[in-house]
Amino acid sequence: MCLPILLDEKIVYVDIGARWGLPQSLKPFANYLSPIFFEPDPEECARLNAQSPSAKIIDSAIGPNSGTMTLYLTQKRACSSLLPPGGHMLGLLAGSIGANGEPHGSVDRFGVEKTIPVNVKTLSDALKGIADQIDLLKVDVQGLEFEVLATLGNYRPFAAIVEC
């Protein structure tokens, strides 16, 4: 494999909404990545810190403005968001089929179990002093993807994976 010869430095991978850590599709390339994970759920941050020692894990949400916002922690934690669950999206997801062919389940998974205040930063502010560039960006923030992308500032990722 010639990839290590081609790489003088690691690929800066920024994951916003990093629940579960590095996606399965990127695990074969883990040695070539310099991961930066943003995850506002304190329990998930603790788990990521224990399981991802090579990653820089930042316990903050990325949003439209710096400050404090409410994180809505849902029954299925992967559905948690800075936005309260609701609207047409819930009806669409309740009857949809996932990429693995399994039903996504009912809207019960969006039931809010608790709310907590979390620190929120714009992406450009959060990365100051941490990374000069983003090579690969993943954004999965349950409805605030556009607002997150709007805070890139001067960062220009080579590629982006964005949940819509």
Side-chain angles (χ1 to χ4, degrees):
M1 179 179 217
C2 67
L3 190 55
I5 296 168
L6 296 175
L7 292 177
D8 289 335
E9 54 190 64
K10 292 190 174 195
I11 294 167
V12 178
Y13 169 67
V14 175
D15 190 331
I16 303 167
R19 184 170 297 278
W20 309 121
L22 201 60
Q24 197 65 35
S25 60
L26 293 178
K27 287 187 178 179
F29 309 102
N31 291 336
Y32 308 111
L33 300 175
S34 177
I36 302 169
F37 294 156
F38 288 93
E39 177 56 51
D41 180 349
E43 291 174 8
E44 181 63 9
C45 272
R47 193 190 69 73
L48 286 171
N49 272 311
Q51 287 191 334
S52 306
S54 66
K56 171 79 174 156
I57 298 163
I58 301 167
D59 62 346
S60 176
I62 300 298
N65 302 299
S66 295
T68 303
M69 290 179 74
T70 299
L71 178 64
Y72 296 86
L73 291 166
T74 56
Q75 231 175 58
K76 183 172 180 182
R77 289 295 196 250
C79 298
S80 300
S81 177
L82 294 176
L83 298 173
H88 184 63
M89 178 189 79
L90 291 182
L92 291 173
L93 288 175
S96 64
I97 303 296
N100 62 359
E102 297 289 321
H104 274 300
S106 71
V107 293
D108 293 344
R109 66 191 172 136
F110 290 96
V112 176
E113 286 189 341
K114 66 179 178 176
T115 60
I116 58 171
V118 294
N119 292 325
V120 180
K121 299 176 183 175
T122 65
L123 184 55
S124 58
D125 284 347
L127 287 174
K128 281 183 186 163
I130 296 173
D132 295 330
Q133 67 186 39
I134 301 171
D135 299 310
L136 179 58
L137 173 67
K138 182 198 133 247
V139 183
D140 182 354
V141 291
Q142 309 302 62
L144 280 172
E145 288 79 10
F146 178 78
E147 288 82 353
V148 165
L149 292 173
T151 71
L152 277 167
N154 292 325
Y155 290 96
R156 295 296 176 259
F158 179 76
I161 303 162
V162 181
E163 179 186 70
C164 295

